[in-house]
Amino acid sequence: MSNKNEVIEAIQTRRAVFQANFTDQEVSREDILTILEAANAAPTHKRTQPWRFVIFRKEGLQRLGTELSRIYKTVTPAEKYQEKTEITMGEKATSSNVAIALIVNYTGELPEWEELAATSCAIENLWLAAHSLGLGGYWASPGLINHLGEFLNLEENQKCIGIFYLGHHQAESREPIRTPITEKIRWEE
């Protein structure tokens, strides 16, 4: 299969890369904009383009980390609260070069699932573009995102569906863990 085109190669080699593999090298604004332009090219029914992004860098990462820790402490029942988890929530943001809040802007013109699907396509484009630039990252969706609305200044029709943590990395490439496609299809000819 050495004759794959670049797009298929990128799709098949893209992997989640976590903060433990991130380096201190700054991700440039230019690279972030390139990645978000790729996200903006996602398919969208009726051209609603429901994806929105809030980019956290530098001091913004500190504010995000502080807010995630605060939310964890506020919403976690006392019997489940762990100080270590509170600290970890904040460190996830501050040990990244960039954190991007992933937001769906529900327009009311389409069923919500279509707006969510379009935003998910945009996020996959974002991820593939990051991968193509040699950057790593992953889409995190902790329950705390349901409490970020005020912090992110979301409108009533908007919802945060995750945070994409991004950075330069030193992770080794690895083989995918996927069951064969033949187990997931049925031919009707």
Side-chain angles (χ1 to χ4, degrees), residues 8-77:
I8 292 173
E9 185 75 25
I11 290 168
Q12 293 181 340
T13 59
R14 184 228 27 94
R15 299 285 170 271
V17 177
F18 302 100
Q19 284 94 336
N21 292 300
F22 287 174
T23 68
D24 292 335
Q25 183 180 351
E26 185 175 319
V27 177
S28 71
R29 286 179 72 97
E30 180 180 75
D31 282 349
I32 295 167
L33 286 172
T34 297
I35 290 164
L36 293 175
E37 286 290 347
N40 200 42
T44 172
H45 190 193
K46 292 191 178 183
R47 298 188 183 115
T48 60
Q49 303 174 53
W51 44 84
R52 300 292 184 271
F53 306 101
V54 178
I55 300 101
F56 294 91
R57 298 173 69 215
K58 303 177 183 179
E59 302 305 317
L61 289 169
Q62 297 294 330
R63 288 190 299 275
L64 176 62
T66 299
E67 181 64 7
L68 289 170
S69 292
R70 185 197 70 74
I71 291 170
Y72 173 80
K73 189 172 186 176
T74 302
V75 303
T76 305

Side-chain angles (χ1 to χ4, degrees), residues 1-180:
M1 288 197 189
S2 60
N3 60 353
K4 290 182 196 174
N5 71 40
E6 291 176 10
V7 173
I8 292 173
E9 185 75 25
I11 290 168
Q12 293 181 340
T13 59
R14 184 228 27 94
R15 299 285 170 271
V17 177
F18 302 100
Q19 284 94 336
N21 292 300
F22 287 174
T23 68
D24 292 335
Q25 183 180 351
E26 185 175 319
V27 177
S28 71
R29 286 179 72 97
E30 180 180 75
D31 282 349
I32 295 167
L33 286 172
T34 297
I35 290 164
L36 293 175
E37 286 290 347
N40 200 42
T44 172
H45 190 193
K46 292 191 178 183
R47 298 188 183 115
T48 60
Q49 303 174 53
W51 44 84
R52 300 292 184 271
F53 306 101
V54 178
I55 300 101
F56 294 91
R57 298 173 69 215
K58 303 177 183 179
E59 302 305 317
L61 289 169
Q62 297 294 330
R63 288 190 299 275
L64 176 62
T66 299
E67 181 64 7
L68 289 170
S69 292
R70 185 197 70 74
I71 291 170
Y72 173 80
K73 189 172 186 176
T74 302
V75 303
T76 305
E79 66 276 7
K80 292 185 178 180
Y81 171 83
Q82 293 182 1
E83 184 177 10
K84 181 179 182 196
T85 304
E86 178 186 346
I87 293 167
T88 300
M89 286 297 157
E91 286 177 344
K92 282 189 177 186
T94 58
S95 60
S96 300
N97 292 139
V98 179
I100 303 172
L102 309 168
I103 299 161
V104 182
N105 184 62
Y106 292 112
T107 64
E109 294 181 43
L110 300 167
E112 286 187 1
W113 74 265
E114 289 191 38
E115 304 283 41
L116 179 59
T119 303
S120 297
C121 288
I123 295 165
E124 177 68 0
N125 280 6
L126 177 157
W127 205 335
L128 288 168
H131 173 73
S132 77
L133 296 175
L135 298 167
Y138 71 102
W139 179 354
S141 54
L144 301 181
I145 60 174
N146 295 319
H147 304 277
L148 280 174
E150 186 177 327
F151 176 76
L152 295 172
N153 296 315
L154 297 185
E155 297 171 16
E156 208 169 293
N157 63 316
Q158 296 178 330
K159 182 177 181 181
C160 179
I161 60 169
I163 300 171
F164 195 91
Y165 292 110
L166 179 69
H168 287 277
H169 67 94
Q170 297 177 326
E172 297 290 324
S173 62
R174 60 190 191 278
E175 288 297 313
I177 301 171
R178 303 276 190 275
T179 57

Side-chain angles (χ1 to χ4, degrees), residues 177-188:
I177 301 171
R178 303 276 190 275
T179 57
I181 189 63
T182 55
E183 295 177 12
K184 301 168 186 162
I185 61 175
R186 182 180 74 220
W187 295 93
E188 297 282 342

